[in-house]
């Protein structure tokens, strides 16, 4: 008799325990819990607490998978983030499928003096990308910033001639692009060539090389760079990258005119990179208008595309000089819905055949260049993952958007 009683008590406990396990802990479920499908059993539902999900959690969604039908989603990162087994590594693998080095593939890092090339960092990124089936963007071959002086001066400190700089430019582009032939999928060949008041930036490249072929325009250093890159790797996608194209109509028109002229001359440019360092005052309609201007280039090359190359959404407008912002519910609502509007626009661009990939300039708030720039001592929150690697509400608004559009 005693044994029978014991058995029935045990049975009751077993039943109760399995019911509790199947339902999850019901007593303290958070308000914001959502249901997602489990990999264990399709019918069984598990809960994800949106306020407490880390970007590397197994149950967390994947941003690049959520938008895979429209475009790739990537991030800038540093090679020190690629240590297997770390949270950073897990986040990168799980959330993104395009990668670019934030600083380590710029001219000063890759080609610090005439006879020295540093391929280590980008080699490691390429190796990672091959193993995990990711895309690599090379950023950047030619730029006025983070470019060492040796390009422009001789041993006596005098400015070199156009012939010498052209030779150095071709050598630089050819050596780097050939090294990564078939491995780096996309190159930002030239970065920020336009000035803020329209027309070409008054850089050393422009000043020294100028109208080298005497055809009446001074796009020559850009033309030489793209031609050399294409010869070194005919399959790489070659991008001309710049800022404010999404917000300044006059800059978008300057870009359009310049690229049109080069495409008509047969210069191998495959697309325009919109950096998209935008802020809380961003206007989606202006961006759509400007992209329509740029995409008129499809009449010359139907495969011409735009890429979003450096997306972040500053919590401060450009003219704001404050260092702190209060993340009130109202502010976050505005921030999240702006991110959502921006991605809805990206979906439209993709459906129109314009957009190939969206790359963030960093993957969590703590690493963003916008902390301390352009206002020193500033703390900013421009990305989708917070300083503790938790998914922010803006992240979830994008996941909801992708689901609603699927
Ligand atoms: C920034 C990096 O994020 C910083 O770490 C560095 O100190 C300066 O450059 N446009 C570009 C990027 O094309 O290369 C810049 O990256 C941000 C603006």
């Amino acid at each position: 008799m005693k044994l029978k009683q014991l058995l029935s008590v045990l049975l009751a406990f077993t039943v109760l325990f399995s019911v509790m396990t199947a339902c999850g802990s019901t007593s303290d479920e958070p308000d914001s819990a959502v249901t997602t499908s489990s990999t264990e059993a399709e019918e069984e539902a598990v809960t994800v607490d949106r306020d407490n999900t880390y970007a590397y959690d197994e149950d967390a969604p994947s941003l690049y998978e959520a938008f895979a039908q429209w475009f790739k989603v990537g991030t800038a990162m540093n090679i020190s983030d690629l240590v297997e087994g770390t949270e950073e590594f897990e986040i990168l693998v799980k959330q993104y499928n395009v990668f670019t080095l934030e600083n380590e593939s710029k001219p000063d890092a890759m080609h610090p003096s005439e006879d020295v090339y540093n391929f280590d960092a980008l080699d490691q990124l390429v190796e990672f990308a091959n193993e995990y089936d990711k895309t690599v963007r090379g950023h950047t071959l030619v730029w006025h910033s983070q470019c060492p002086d040796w390009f422009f001066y001789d041993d006596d400190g005098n400015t070199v001639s156009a012939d010498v700089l052209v030779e150095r430019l071709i050598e630089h582009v050819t050596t780097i692009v050939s090294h990564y032939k078939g491995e780096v999928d996309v190159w930002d060949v030239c970065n920020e060539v336009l000035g803020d008041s329209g027309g070409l930036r008054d850089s050393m490249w422009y000043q020294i090389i100028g109208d080298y072929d005497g055809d009446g325009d001074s796009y020559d250093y850009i033309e030489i760079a793209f031609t050399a890159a294409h010869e070194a790797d005919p399959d790489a996608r070659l991008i001309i990258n710049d800022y404010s194209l999404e917000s300044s109509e006059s800059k978008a028109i300057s870009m359009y005119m310049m690229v049109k002229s080069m495409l008509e001359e047969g210069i191998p440019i495959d697309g325009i990179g919109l950096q998209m360092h935008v802020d809380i005052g961003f206007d989606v309609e202006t961006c759509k208008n400007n992209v329509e201007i740029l995409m008129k280039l499809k009449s010359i090359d139907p495969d011409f595309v735009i890429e979003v190359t450096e997306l972040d959404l500053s919590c401060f407008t450009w003219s704001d000089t404050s260092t702190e912002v209060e993340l009130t519910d109202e502010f976050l609502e505005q921030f999240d819905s702006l991110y959502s509007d921006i991605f809805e626009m990206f979906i439209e661009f993709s459906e129109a055949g314009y957009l190939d990939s969206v790359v963030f300039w960093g993957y969590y708030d703590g690493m963003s260049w916008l902390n301390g720039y352009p206002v020193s001592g500033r703390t900013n929150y421009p990305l989708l993952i917070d300083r503790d690697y938790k998914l922010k509400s803006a992240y979830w608004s994008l996941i909801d958007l992708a689901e609603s559009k699927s």
Side-chain angles (χ1 to χ4, degrees), residues 118-272:
N118 291 329
F119 293 128
D120 285 3
L122 196 50
D123 282 354
Q124 278 183 60
L125 180 60
V126 162
E127 202 180 308
F128 160 81
N130 286 337
E131 196 175 336
Y132 289 88
D133 197 21
K134 309 286 190 185
T135 295
V136 177
R137 303 188 85 257
H139 175 84
T140 173
L141 295 166
V142 181
W143 194 17
H144 64 279
S145 181
Q146 293 181 273
C147 180
D149 277 347
W150 70 261
F151 274 101
F152 311 113
Y153 298 98
D154 64 19
D155 292 343
D156 300 325
N158 300 314
T159 314
V160 294
S161 66
D163 284 343
V164 169
L165 188 55
V166 165
E167 202 180 304
R168 289 179 178 179
L169 172 61
I170 293 174
E171 215 271 337
H172 168 76
V173 171
T174 307
T175 306
I176 295 177
V177 178
S178 318
H179 183 88
Y180 294 105
K181 187 169 191 282
E183 306 280 7
V184 167
D185 310 84
V186 189
W187 283 102
D188 286 334
V189 177
C190 291
N191 196 28
E192 302 181 352
V193 301
L194 293 177
D196 289 335
S197 47
L200 281 175
R201 176 184 298 281
D202 191 18
S203 67
M204 293 291 273
W205 296 107
Y206 164 81
Q207 285 172 20
I208 298 175
I209 297 178
D211 183 7
Y212 192 66
D213 60 11
D215 70 353
D217 70 53
S218 295
Y219 305 145
D220 302 47
Y221 79 90
I222 305 167
E223 297 173 353
I224 291 166
F226 273 90
T227 305
H230 183 68
E231 273 169 24
D233 187 352
D235 294 329
R237 172 179 284 168
L238 305 181
I239 297 290
I240 186 161
N241 195 43
D242 220 317
Y243 61 86
S244 295
L245 297 172
E246 65 286 340
S247 55
S248 159
E249 187 182 48
S250 63
K251 193 158 180 177
I253 292 172
S254 293
M255 179 60 92
Y256 165 78
M257 303 283 280
M258 177 177 66
V259 174
K260 179 172 182 282
S261 149
M262 288 194 279
L263 288 179
E264 283 167 351
E265 279 182 42
I267 305 300
I269 305 176
D270 300 308
I272 293 171

Side-chain angles (χ1 to χ4, degrees), residues 98-133:
V98 185
F99 294 90
T100 195
L101 293 166
E102 185 179 7
N103 287 300
E104 292 149 303
S105 54
K106 290 174 177 172
D108 59 351
M110 281 203 116
H111 198 180
S113 58
E114 190 160 10
D115 303 324
V116 178
Y117 283 93
N118 291 329
F119 293 128
D120 285 3
L122 196 50
D123 282 354
Q124 278 183 60
L125 180 60
V126 162
E127 202 180 308
F128 160 81
N130 286 337
E131 196 175 336
Y132 289 88
D133 197 21

Side-chain angles (χ1 to χ4, degrees), residues 14-26 29 38 41 43-47:
T14 314
V15 169
L16 187 64
F17 180 71
S18 51
V19 166
M20 280 177 71
T21 318
C23 299
S25 173
T26 50
E29 246 174 37
S38 159
E43 309 251 288
E44 193 179 332
V46 293
T47 55

Side-chain angles (χ1 to χ4, degrees), residues 302-317:
D303 295 331
F304 201 83
V305 285
I306 53 162
E307 296 197 352
V308 172
T309 55
E310 306 183 16
L311 179 65
D312 43 28
L313 173 47
S314 174
C315 296
F316 304 83
T317 56

